[in-house]
């Protein structure tokens, strides 16, 4: 889409200069607003036409049975699907009895702009009705990052050149009709009329609706109020019914006159509070919003984002597309997690219903590393949510005959929602991914209170899982058999290298944390014998290696499988999961997404430089990237082993995943992990940043085409800026006590007011490895 002439490349915004209905659904995802609690797709104010309506509250879902042709012990019994809650975005307009609809009459101009610095979505339209009556419409929309339950719209209409009578209908609508889901498993289920009316009320320009869900037992409240300014002819009325609330404003406008309204919206929901309590919560949030006023909400939003960009901005010189894309990505990653507080960060954020609104391990492995160094409070909240689901995870472990906690592969509330156990239940690495996120957050933030309140409990229960799931063989090696790693085209394998290395890290981290907090360890019933068993398992962890090929097999025996017939696989047969049975994928050497390569990123300490280079070359020839999670990781390791041009190509693929709709499913919501991968590819890839115990290290490299890269990170209550140019890298501490780090393995100490310069390593051009036929990334690099 960014290549479409209606989408110019600009550094701080996404602008659409013309409305094209053929990409309307995709643009609704791109222009979505969220704060992690409320999500509004970028639908047109008038509601029609639309690609996919969408208003979401994080954690609001409906349950439904998971059907099985043959039942099996331990299969999850219920699925969970995000539902479209009450739509409060709607503002319909009639001009002399003609509905304002871009499909009729004449659209003289139409522009939308999403400003990453203000968090505002603006729309300007000039339209002539079939009766040749013209109006200019301006709207500005926000979902507050400060007042968690609040959203608002400023709407203004004026005549172009002749007097008009206008009617504005501001609405709350529940149970909107949705288009059919289709057969792609990455889409969501569609539940008909999931909201059941509890009550409705209206007074003056204020309307409230209260609904419940039948199976999940949730109560959802939505309310709106209005501030209206117009000529003396303005009249206002309100009405409500079970699924509709409406405030109608009429006015006769002469040329030069305007009708202006601000629509304040508040949402609330609960699984345990009463109907009156939810109603009162929404009413209180709405009152606070109206007292703040539109200008106050805008000012709060700008201040919040100003602070975020001060600490988190990434500057890219030489490639305007990547510059725009990384800010677009950071903005949406922030929106996904900023105020999620007590809830998951779904794979699509709150931008669409793809994957049924489920959260996966993507959050801990891709999204939280970015937020750890840019918005650490959001990370603490996300991991606290995992901690609240610990009882469900320990119950799941008991059901599977295991100790510790088995966290779900996909979920909304904390219960496993995958009915396909080889990819779901067997993907035990989720526990180690959560543990890794805990360790990273604690080391980067120094938040000892979090480690005591949340961290040790999560580390201990996941370590108990590994000790229970694995076993020592006759050679004394600790094996973890029958698991599924990150690559979903290989399932139920023995000793997946990624899983084993991450479990090893998990076991050691749990032991270390227990010894740091012996009093708490005692309360959690962690004994010295158990800590010793964790360390013993970690030391004896079996990491397979193919001595013949001199590479690590993705899992034990993987390199003995037949290689997939890439030569006879057409471009139309990707993604393979939609055209081939899983049993065939499972027994061949074909990789959906980075798995062994991801292990080399997250556990780089377990591989030599030579092993990384050989492994990378080998797996490049097998990886088809049928997952949006792969490109950023391949970018990181490509940069580390010296293929900077290839790293640049993979960076561009991650950065443009949604802006260019590369997987043809952006209509169902943004790929939040891939968006996070833009930052990862730049900061972990080109800047070479790695977290190490007690600090950070950098190995900066610039590919031809990028002339300067500057990144900001927060670590240990400090703000660090790293500016990379072809000849020199500058480290500047903007806030905090002196910081020790490594530059290309050399110790460096940085203090405020005293920037440190070091040479940027020159990487000679090299011949990159080949990818499967037709699966190479699009060439983005200029040379090298």
């Amino acid at each position: 889409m960014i290549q479409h002439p209606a989408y110019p490349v600009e550094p701080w915004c996404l602008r659409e200069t013309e409305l094209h209905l053929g990409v309307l659904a995709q643009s609704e995802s791109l222009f979505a607003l969220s704060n992690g609690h409320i999500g509004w797709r970028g639908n047109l104010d008038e509601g029609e036409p639309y690609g996919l309506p969408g208003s979401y509250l994080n954690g609001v879902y409906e349950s439904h049975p998971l059907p099985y042709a043959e039942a099996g012990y331990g299969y999850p019994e219920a699925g969970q699907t995000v539902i479209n809650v009450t739509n409060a975005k709607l503002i319909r307009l009639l001009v002399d009895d003609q509905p304002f609809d871009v499909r009729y009459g004449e659209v003289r101009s139409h522009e939308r702009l999403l400003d990453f610095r203000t968090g505002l979505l603006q729309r300007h339209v000039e339209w002539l009705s079939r009766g040749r009556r013209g109006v200019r419409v301006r709207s500005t929309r926000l979902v507050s990052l400060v007042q968690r339950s609040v959203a608002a719209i400023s709407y203004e209409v004026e005549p172009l050149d002749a007097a008009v009578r206008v009617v504005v209908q501001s609405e709350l609508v529940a149970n909107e009709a949705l288009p059919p889901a289709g057969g792609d498993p990455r889409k969501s289920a569609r539940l008909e009329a999931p909201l059941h009316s509890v009550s409705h009320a209206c007074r003056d320009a204020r309307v409230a609706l209260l609904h419940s869900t039948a199976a999940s037992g949730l109560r959802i409240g939505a309310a709106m109020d209005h501030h209206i300014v117009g000529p003396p002819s303005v009249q206002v009325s309100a009405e409500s019914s079970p699924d509709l609330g409406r405030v109608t404003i009429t006015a006769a406008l002469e040329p030069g006159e305007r009708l202006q309204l601000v629509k304040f919206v508040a949402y609330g929901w609960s699984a345990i509070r009463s109907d009156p309590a939810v109603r009162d919560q929404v009413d209180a949030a709405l009152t606070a919003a109206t007292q703040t006023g539109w200008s106050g909400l805008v000012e709060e939003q700008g201040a919040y984002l100003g602070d975020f960009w001060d600490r988190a901005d990434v500057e890219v010189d030489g490639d305007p597309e990547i510059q725009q894309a990384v800010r677009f990505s950071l903005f949406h990653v922030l929106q996904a997690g900023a105020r999620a507080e007590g809830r998951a960060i779904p794979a699509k954020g709150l931008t669409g219903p793809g994957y049924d609104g489920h959260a996966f391990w993507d959050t801990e492995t891709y999204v939280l590393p970015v937020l750890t160094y840019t918005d650490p409070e959001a990370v603490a909240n996300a991991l606290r949510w995992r901690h609240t689901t610990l009882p469900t995870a320990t119950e799941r472990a008991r059901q599977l005959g295991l100790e510790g906690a088995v966290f779900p592969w996909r979920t909304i509330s904390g219960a496993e929602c995958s009915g396909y156990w080889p990819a779901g239940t067997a993907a035990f690495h989720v526990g180690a991914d959560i543990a890794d996120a805990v360790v990273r957050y604690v080391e980067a933030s120094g938040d000892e209170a979090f480690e005591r309140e949340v961290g040790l409990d999560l580390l201990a229960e996941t370590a108990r899982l590994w000790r229970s799931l694995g076993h020592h063989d006759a050679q004394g090696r600790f094996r973890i058999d029958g698991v599924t790693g990150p690559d979903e085209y290989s399932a139920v394998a023995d000793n997946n290298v990624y899983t084993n290395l991450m479990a090893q890290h998990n076991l050691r981290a749990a032991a270390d944390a227990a010894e740091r907090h012996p009093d708490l360890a005692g309360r959690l019933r962690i004994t010295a014998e158990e800590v010793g068993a964790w360390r013993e398992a970690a030391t004896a962890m079996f990491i397979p290696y193919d001595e013949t090929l001199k590479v690590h097999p993705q899992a034990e025996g993987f390199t003995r499988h037949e290689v997939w017939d890439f030569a006879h696989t057409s471009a139309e047969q990707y993604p393979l999961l939609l055209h081939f049975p899983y049993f065939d994928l499972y027994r061949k050497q074909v990789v959906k997404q980075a798995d062994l390569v991801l292990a080399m990123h997250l556990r780089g300490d377990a591989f030599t430089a030579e092993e990384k280079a050989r492994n990378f070359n080998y797996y490049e020839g097998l990886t088809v990237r049928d997952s949006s999670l792969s490109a950023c990781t391949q970018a990181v390791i490509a940069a580390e082993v010296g293929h900077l041009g290839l790293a640049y190509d993979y960076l561009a693929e991650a950065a443009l995943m949604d802006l260019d709709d590369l997987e043809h499913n952006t209509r169902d919501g943004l790929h939040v992990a891939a968006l996070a991968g833009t930052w990862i590819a730049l900061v972990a890839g080109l800047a070479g940043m790695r977290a190490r115990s007690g600090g950070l290290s950098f190995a900066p490299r610039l590919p031809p085409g990028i002339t300067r890269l500057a990144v900001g990170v927060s670590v240990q209550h400090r703000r660090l800026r790293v500016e990379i140019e072809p000849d020199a890298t500058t480290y500047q501490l903007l806030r905090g006590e002196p910081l020790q780090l490594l530059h290309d393995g050399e110790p460096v100490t940085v203090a405020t007011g005293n920037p440190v310069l070091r040479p940027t390593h020159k990487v000679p051009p090299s011949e990159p490895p080949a990818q499967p036929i037709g699966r190479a990334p699009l060439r983005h690099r200029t040379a090298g």
Side-chain angles (χ1 to χ4, degrees), residues 14-21 24 27-28 31 33 42-50 89-93 99-104 107 109-115 120-127 135-142 153-158 294:
L14 180 66
R15 187 189 304 270
E16 177 190 65
T17 59
E18 299 175 359
L19 185 64
H20 291 268
L21 300 185
L24 185 58
S27 71
E28 290 167 351
F31 287 122
L33 294 179
N43 305 112
L44 303 180
D45 301 294
E46 57 274 16
E48 297 180 16
Y50 60 77
K89 302 188 296 290
L90 286 168
I91 301 179
R92 304 188 193 275
L93 171 66
F100 169 47
D101 188 319
V102 295
R103 296 169 294 187
Y104 304 100
V107 178
S109 65
H110 193 287
E111 180 175 277
R112 288 188 289 177
L113 183 146
L114 176 61
D115 191 319
L120 303 178
L121 175 60
Q122 301 174 46
R123 181 188 184 203
H124 296 170
V125 190
E126 289 191 0
W127 178 79
V135 290
R136 179 179 295 110
V137 177
R138 298 184 181 90
S139 71
T140 304
R141 184 183 297 178
L142 70 80
I153 303 170
S154 172
Y155 191 90
E156 178 182 298
V157 58
E158 64 177 309
W294 172 255

Side-chain angles (χ1 to χ4, degrees), residues 477-489:
R477 303 174 302 184
F478 191 78
R479 301 175 57 90
I480 303 176
D481 296 331
V483 301
T484 299
D487 173 31
E488 295 154 27
Y489 286 172

Side-chain angles (χ1 to χ4, degrees), residues 555-608:
E556 189 176 8
F558 178 82
T559 49
R560 297 196 299 270
H561 292 178
E562 180 183 358
V563 175
W564 185 265
D565 187 1
F566 297 108
H568 293 94
T569 305
S570 68
E572 292 73 26
Q573 290 176 301
Y574 292 96
L576 299 179
L577 65 94
L578 299 183
H579 300 93
F580 297 92
Y582 270 115
F583 87 88
D584 202 20
L585 297 169
Y586 289 168
R587 64 193 186 95
K588 302 287 179 60
Q589 287 192 67
V590 57
V591 179
K592 179 183 181 184
Q593 64 202 70
D595 188 308
L596 192 283
V597 174
L598 181 60
M600 293 195 298
H601 173 200
L602 298 182
R603 283 297 316 275
D605 59 303
F607 302 87
T608 67

Side-chain angles (χ1 to χ4, degrees), residues 609-649:
E610 293 77 13
E611 288 172 343
K612 289 179 183 178
R614 288 195 301 269
N615 286 339
F616 182 77
N617 286 3
Y618 186 83
Y619 286 96
E620 277 295 284
L622 302 175
T623 304
V624 296
R625 295 192 324 288
D626 282 350
S627 166
S628 62
L629 301 180
S630 198
C632 69
T633 300
Q634 289 172 276
V636 170
I637 302 303
E640 183 172 350
V641 302
H643 302 304
L644 287 183
L646 183 59
Y648 195 11
D649 293 346

Side-chain angles (χ1 to χ4, degrees), residues 508-567:
R508 288 173 175 164
D512 291 345
E515 290 174 351
R516 279 196 298 273
H517 307 288
D519 59 324
L520 182 58
R523 293 200 294 274
L524 296 175
R525 302 184 306 281
I526 302 172
T527 66
E529 291 76 16
E530 188 173 28
V531 170
W534 293 344
R535 293 200 184 280
E536 182 183 9
T539 300
M541 189 67 69
F542 176 41
I543 308 301
Y545 187 75
D546 188 323
E547 293 288 353
T548 302
L549 295 174
K550 301 298 182 185
V551 298
H552 288 83
Q554 182 171 280
E556 189 176 8
F558 178 82
T559 49
R560 297 196 299 270
H561 292 178
E562 180 183 358
V563 175
W564 185 265
D565 187 1
F566 297 108

